[in-house]
């Protein structure tokens, strides 16, 4: 039997469902869906609204405010794995500046130069540049991506060890580093408040992860979606679940993010107010919460508005992880554990091998 061509693999990805790749999953995922949107096949839940949670209660409301925020956030995430954060205190100018810099990075850097930074695994995370249609091996996503690790920003943390690549080796032009560093540092101010709130809602010591998520492992991903008229497939980014603890995402300006409501298997179009931050939990948190906080399927599809279809779309999600030598184990007090303890690097790379090939997995 001949090996499939790249075009055959991409067509297979367009027609596939997640069931074809479910053996890679390291947490329970009963949802079933097509990887790529199909007109007239899927249903939408236009009545469901992702909940807005006001972080100002955490920052300025004392213990009572923290408990109210933890309950609101915890209930939202238990319900669908997504929430919208307002009152987070991040200056909108930081998001605006980062979006402009991302546009410049993708459009002003020649492809030959971009390919010098092609993504490769560093620790548990695939970091570097992803050409269009090559975000994963299984689906021709209509997005260019660029993932930067912690060391790319010269930030304190475990991946800044002796022998690591020089900071400037991550950047085609070092002028971009400071802009995205500002975004990462702003996002990081939310990491402990979010995790403490998730734990508080579960009845667990809210500071249990303070050490592990101070200067945490991250994947700062920049996404550039070209105008839709140039796309040859229906969706922009395949349906998937994020592997890490959680993701913080400044609300994109162009419609497209859709979330699968597992209760009825219908898609929810996420509409977040300007200046807000979208939060979703990933596989790490589903595992340690004993399935209380689900890792929820989402995708990016074409906007419904014809004018928006002709505009580029930029998104700036930051994935938060624990370091690869940490152990992922079910939190205390959450009943009979559904999962055995596992090292983060093993868990992470076994899960993401579905995107990058079986050789990506690391077993320790």
């Amino acid at each position: 039997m001949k090996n499939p061509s790249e075009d055959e693999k991409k067509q297979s990805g367009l027609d596939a469902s997640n069931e074809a790749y479910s053996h890679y999953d390291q947490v329970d995922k009963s949802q079933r869906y097509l990887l790529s949107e199909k007109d007239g096949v899927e249903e939408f839940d236009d009545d469901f609204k992702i909940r807005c949670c006001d972080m100002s209660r955490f920052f300025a409301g004392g213990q009572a405010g923290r408990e109210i925020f933890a309950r609101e956030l915890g209930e939202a995430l238990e319900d669908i794995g997504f929430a919208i954060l307002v009152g987070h205190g991040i200056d909108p100018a930081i998001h605006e500046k980062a979006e402009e810099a991302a546009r410049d990075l993708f459009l002003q850097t020649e492809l030959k130069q971009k390919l010098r930074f092609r993504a490769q695994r560093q620790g548990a995370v695939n970091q570097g540049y992803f050409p269009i249609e090559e975000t994963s091996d299984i689906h021709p996503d209509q997005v260019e991506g660029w993932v930067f690790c912690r060391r790319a920003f010269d930030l304190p943390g475990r991946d800044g060890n002796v022998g690591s690549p020089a900071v400037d080796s991550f950047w085609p032009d070092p002028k971009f580093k400071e802009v995205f560093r500002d975004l990462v540092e702003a996002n990081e101010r939310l990491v402990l408040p979010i995790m403490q709130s998730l734990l508080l809602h579960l009845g667990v010591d809210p500071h249990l992860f303070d050490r592990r998520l101070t200067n945490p492992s991250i994947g700062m991903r920049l996404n550039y979606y070209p105008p839709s008229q140039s796309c040859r497939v229906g969706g922009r980014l395949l349906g998937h679940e994020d592997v890490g603890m959680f993701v913080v995402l400044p609300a994109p300006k162009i419609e497209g993010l859709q979330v699968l409501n597992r209760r009825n298997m219908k898609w929810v179009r996420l509409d977040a107010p300007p200046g807000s931050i979208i939060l979703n939990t990933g596989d790490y948190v589903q595992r340690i919460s004993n399935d209380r906080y689900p890792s929820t399927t989402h995708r990016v599809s074409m906007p419904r508005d014809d004018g928006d279809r002709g505009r580029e779309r930029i998104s700036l999600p930051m994935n938060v992880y624990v370091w690869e030598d940490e152990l992922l184990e079910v939190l205390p007090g959450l009943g009979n554990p559904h999962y055995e303890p596992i090292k983060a690097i093993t868990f992470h790379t076994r899960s993401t091998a579905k995107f990058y090939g079986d050789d990506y997995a690391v077993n320790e």
Side-chain angles (χ1 to χ4, degrees):
M1 180 183 296
K2 69 173 185 176
N3 293 325
S5 67
E6 287 303 310
D7 283 344
E8 288 171 332
K9 284 171 63 179
K10 288 173 180 176
Q11 185 59 49
S12 174
L14 287 172
D15 296 335
S17 76
N18 68 309
E19 292 176 282
Y21 303 94
S22 61
H23 59 285
Y24 291 101
D25 293 330
Q26 305 291 297
V27 292
D28 179 60
K29 297 179 183 179
S30 58
Q31 60 265 41
R32 295 292 178 261
Y33 56 91
L34 297 174
L35 297 184
S36 186
E37 182 177 358
K38 294 288 191 298
D39 289 340
V41 173
E42 295 160 307
E43 295 183 87
F44 287 83
D45 188 343
D46 294 324
D47 296 324
F48 191 97
K49 304 299 179 186
I50 305 295
R51 189 180 307 193
C52 278
C53 302
D54 187 354
M55 283 199 84
S56 68
R57 292 193 176 101
F58 182 95
F59 294 120
Q63 183 59 31
R66 291 185 177 209
E67 291 175 0
I68 291 171
F69 175 72
R71 183 178 68 251
E72 289 181 347
L73 182 63
E75 289 176 353
L77 295 174
E78 283 183 312
D79 191 20
I80 199 168
F82 271 75
I84 297 169
L85 304 179
V86 297
H88 49 71
I90 295 180
D91 185 349
I94 292 176
H95 294 164
E96 292 287 341
K97 192 173 181 181
E99 183 173 325
E100 288 299 319
R103 179 180 292 106
D104 291 344
L105 175 64
F106 284 105
L107 296 183
Q108 295 180 10
T109 309
E110 294 183 358
L111 179 60
K112 182 178 180 181
Q113 175 78 333
K114 294 174 186 175
L115 293 175
R116 290 183 50 236
F117 299 89
R118 198 157 196 155
Q120 56 184 317
R121 185 175 65 78
Q122 298 180 43
V125 183
N126 212 14
Q127 301 167 27
Y129 173 69
F130 296 83
I132 196 165
E133 299 196 353
E134 295 185 25
T135 291
S136 79
D137 289 349
I138 63 175
H139 187 275
D141 293 308
Q142 300 301 293
V143 59
E144 284 185 89
W146 214 314
V147 177
F148 294 96
C149 55
R150 188 172 196 85
R151 68 171 68 89
F153 304 101
D154 199 19
L155 290 167
R158 292 196 222 171
D159 70 354
N161 297 330
V162 175
S164 296
V167 170
D168 287 348
S169 70
F170 292 92
W171 303 95
D173 187 329
K175 70 180 182 182
F176 293 110
K177 180 185 73 173
E178 294 305 320
V179 177
F180 298 120
R181 177 176 169 141
D182 288 345
L183 177 60
V184 168
E185 291 183 316
N187 286 340
E188 286 197 334
R189 292 196 288 273
L190 306 183
V191 169
L192 290 184
I194 289 170
M195 193 64 197
Q196 288 168 7
S197 299
L198 298 187
L199 294 173
L200 181 61
H201 180 68
L202 294 175
V204 176
D205 175 4
H207 300 288
L208 188 62
F209 272 73
D210 283 5
R211 177 192 63 80
R212 281 169 276 192
L213 292 181
T214 297
N215 300 329
S217 174
I218 61 163
M220 181 68 239
R221 185 179 177 97
L222 318 178
N223 289 323
Y224 178 82
Y225 299 85
S228 301
Q229 282 88 338
S230 65
C231 297
R232 64 178 183 83
V233 295
R236 282 180 153 177
L237 182 65
L238 84 165
H240 67 285
E241 303 81 41
D242 293 320
V243 70
M245 297 292 283
F246 49 82
V247 177
V248 290
L249 166 69
K253 296 176 180 176
I254 302 295
E255 181 190 69
L257 182 57
Q258 298 175 357
V259 178
L260 186 64
N261 187 342
R262 297 177 317 284
R263 299 196 192 316
N264 56 19
M265 292 299 161
K266 295 181 180 180
W267 292 93
V268 176
R269 294 184 176 94
L270 197 154
D271 182 19
S276 64
I277 289 176
I278 299 164
L279 171 72
N280 70 279
T281 39
D283 290 0
Y284 285 24
V285 159
Q286 179 171 336
R287 191 167 180 113
I288 67 172
S289 71
N290 218 21
D291 296 327
R292 286 275 298 276
Y293 294 132
S295 181
T296 297
T297 307
H298 53 287
R299 68 187 182 192
V300 178
S301 292
M302 297 300 185
R304 290 167 290 177
D305 182 80
D306 287 340
D308 284 344
R309 283 176 176 255
R311 297 171 60 191
E312 64 198 0
R313 183 181 189 274
I314 293 171
S315 68
L316 306 169
M318 189 178 88
N319 290 266
V320 178
Y321 312 108
V322 295
W323 291 102
E324 50 262 24
D325 60 346
E326 294 281 359
L327 203 62
L328 297 172
E329 53 187 333
V330 173
L331 296 165
L334 299 185
N336 184 43
H338 301 166
Y339 308 105
E340 295 293 325
I342 188 172
K343 262 195 172 181
I345 191 168
T346 304
F347 178 86
H348 190 121
T349 58
R350 281 181 183 174
S351 299
T352 52
K354 66 180 167 185
F355 302 124
Y356 309 130
D358 291 339
D359 291 344
Y360 190 80
V362 174
N363 295 301
E364 288 195 359

